[in-house]
Amino acid sequence: EVLLEAGLTSEAVRLAERLVAAAPAANTLQRGDALLLAARALWAAGHNVEAAVRASAAADLFASDRRQPAEAVALYVRALAAPSRGSVRLIRRALRTLREQGWEDEALVAQVQLGRALLAAGRRSGAARQFEEVAEQALHDSVRRRLTVLLARALRAQHAHDGAADRQPDRHGVAL
């Protein structure tokens, strides 16, 4: 997690893959968490196919262990790594789960990603609502929260002024 937050994606991928290799197959709790971390690191590094595979494997383990919040997050990462027609639904589910679990900073990031998925699906007004809700948040607490709010404000302004919000922020969710 720390390596990802610091933007050290190559290092995060290497460490996460070592964790997956070291996690015993019988320990589904540890293995699922390692697979999810690997999926997030791979996605951040731009290895979308591998990220989607790892996220799907993690989601399967979480489902078998009845870890619904973790399953929703894994499906969310899969939706980011391999966008499909079902991405909006998966991201909405993850957003709801993150809020229910009290993970508000993660939920704000998911809400911006939901706006991006809605744009990709041609649902501009829905995307604008998502960006607006996040953009209205106060700039306090964590650096991640501040960056997410600032990104939402930029996307909101871009969408409102020239309709160019279809351009995607990079996979880290920070830059335009």
Side-chain angles (χ1 to χ4, degrees):
E1 295 287 330
V2 172
L3 294 172
L4 285 175
E5 291 294 325
L8 301 170
T9 55
S10 299
E11 293 82 357
V13 168
R14 280 196 300 277
L15 180 59
E17 291 296 349
R18 285 182 29 215
L19 291 172
V20 170
N27 186 339
T28 57
L29 179 73
Q30 185 180 14
R31 188 157 184 81
D33 288 340
L35 285 165
L36 179 56
L37 181 59
R40 291 183 63 226
L42 287 161
W43 178 71
H47 304 292
N48 292 346
V49 173
E50 296 96 335
V53 169
R54 294 286 197 216
S56 291
D60 290 345
L61 288 175
F62 295 144
S64 70
D65 286 347
R66 299 180 196 267
R67 294 177 61 196
Q68 293 169 340
E71 178 190 10
V73 172
L75 291 172
Y76 162 65
V77 173
R78 186 185 78 195
L80 297 177
S84 68
R85 290 175 39 195
S87 294
V88 169
R89 179 183 50 79
L90 292 174
I91 296 170
R92 281 189 198 280
R93 177 180 170 203
L95 176 58
R96 187 172 46 255
T97 299
L98 291 167
R99 288 221 165 100
E100 288 169 358
Q101 298 299 312
W103 300 340
E104 193 55 36
D105 286 359
E106 291 288 337
L108 288 176
V109 172
Q111 193 167 359
V112 169
Q113 295 294 354
L114 175 59
R116 292 175 60 201
L118 288 166
L119 278 177
R123 296 163 57 188
R124 297 178 68 78
S125 63
R129 278 193 305 276
Q130 299 307 315
F131 298 146
E132 184 67 29
E133 284 182 26
V134 176
E136 295 304 315
Q137 298 291 316
L139 289 173
H140 60 82
D141 298 327
S142 71
V143 170
R144 182 176 193 165
R145 182 183 186 97
R146 286 188 293 244
L147 288 173
T148 303
V149 171
L150 291 171
L151 174 62
R153 288 177 182 177
L155 289 168
R156 175 184 64 182
Q158 193 175 33
H159 174 74
H161 294 294
D162 65 5
D166 291 320
R167 288 190 298 250
Q168 297 291 315
D170 73 5
R171 74 180 136 273
H172 304 291
V174 176
L176 288 173

